[in-house]
């Protein structure tokens, strides 16, 4: 089952599931109290539920209203090595974690924003876990029971700002610089077998790896994170990006306006986004937003 959040053409928010028969969204917000409830207890569409064509909606991030978004760094050994994080023969004892703000992410098919006066916006494709059942100090053996499903994330980074200090916060939280979606594919459909994560830029594969090569697997991440903070419905754990970032190319290569990015996670879906430039604060602002 694929769980979605969206807005209609007039800006009205809604949520539902993808109807696999019609390839439309079956709207459920008329009979399910909230998207969080749907994450905790997914329900199938019924014949009377309204169906909306994909072209008639804009995708919203399929996460909670006020989520914790916890990201894992250097979780693929090859990426850790290319980043200078550690030698591939070294196995860290604990995950490297950082946080993202919800407003740093847009939904599928919405362009991300490259900062004004900075050209170092880099791609980072990932599989991200979305929590369904809340929990604290979750045992590894019980972790999958707390995962509503998996979504795709473009956990993009503004590299120059990321390198301002040993902390990644400034480079990871530029407004609307990343994307997540288009939906959460529920755990029963995803299963526990390895997932392949692929990032394409303008059709060319830049990153590709399998989650069976994660240093810290999904269940261990849920257990570790929930030890120090309660995990709530709609919270997100981004599990790490594979080798192949633009920053480590020779010369470094970054996203530019007009680029097309795809993050594909097998058995989950494909997240697509474009790239636009931020409008400088000293330029006239359009009435409908802060991008062009």
């Amino acid at each position: 089952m694929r769980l979605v959040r969206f807005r209609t053409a007039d800006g009205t928010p809604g949520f539902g599931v993808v109807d696999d028969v019609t390839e439309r969204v079956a709207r459920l917000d008329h009979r399910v109290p909230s998207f969080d409830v749907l994450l905790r207890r997914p329900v199938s569409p019924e014949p009377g539920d309204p169906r909306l064509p994909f072209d008639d909606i804009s995708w919203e991030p399929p996460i909670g209203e006020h989520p914790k978004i916890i990201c894992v760094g250097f979780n693929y050994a090859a990426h850790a090595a290319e980043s200078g994080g550690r030698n591939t023969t070294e196995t860290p004892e604990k995950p490297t974690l950082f946080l993202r703000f919800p407003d740093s992410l847009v939904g599928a098919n919405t362009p991300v924003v490259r900062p004004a006066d900075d050209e170092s916006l880099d791609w980072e494709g990932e599989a991200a876990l979305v929590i369904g059942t809340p929990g604290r100090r979750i045992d590894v053996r019980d972790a999958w029971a707390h995962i509503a499903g998996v979504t795709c994330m473009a956990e993009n980074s503004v590299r120059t700002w990321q390198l301002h200090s040993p902390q990644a916060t400034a480079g990871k939280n530029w407004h609307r610089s990343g994307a997540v979606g288009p939906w959460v594919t529920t755990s029963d459909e995803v299963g526990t077998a390895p997932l392949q994560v692929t990032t394409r830029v303008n059709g060319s594969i830049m990153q590709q790896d399998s989650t069976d090569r994660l240093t810290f697997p999904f269940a261990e991440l849920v257990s570790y994170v929930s030890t120090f903070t309660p995990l709530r419905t709609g919270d997100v754990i981004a599990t790490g990006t594979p080798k192949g970032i633009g920053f480590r190319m020779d010369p470094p290569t970054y996203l530019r306006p007009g680029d097309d990015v795809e993050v594909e996670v097998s058995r989950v879906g494909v997240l697509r986004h474009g790239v636009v430039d931020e409008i400088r604060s000293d330029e006239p602002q359009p009435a409908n937003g802060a991008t062009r």
Side-chain angles (χ1 to χ4, degrees), residues 126-137:
E126 308 192 15
L129 311 177
V130 181
I131 299 300
T133 302
R136 177 81 192 278
R137 297 186 178 274

Side-chain angles (χ1 to χ4, degrees), residues 24 26 54 57 66 90 111 125 132 143 167 176 198 225 230-231:
R24 297 184 172 206
F54 289 173
I57 63 172
H66 303 286
E90 298 175 352
Q167 300 296 324
R176 302 173 71 84
T198 304
V225 172
L231 286 175

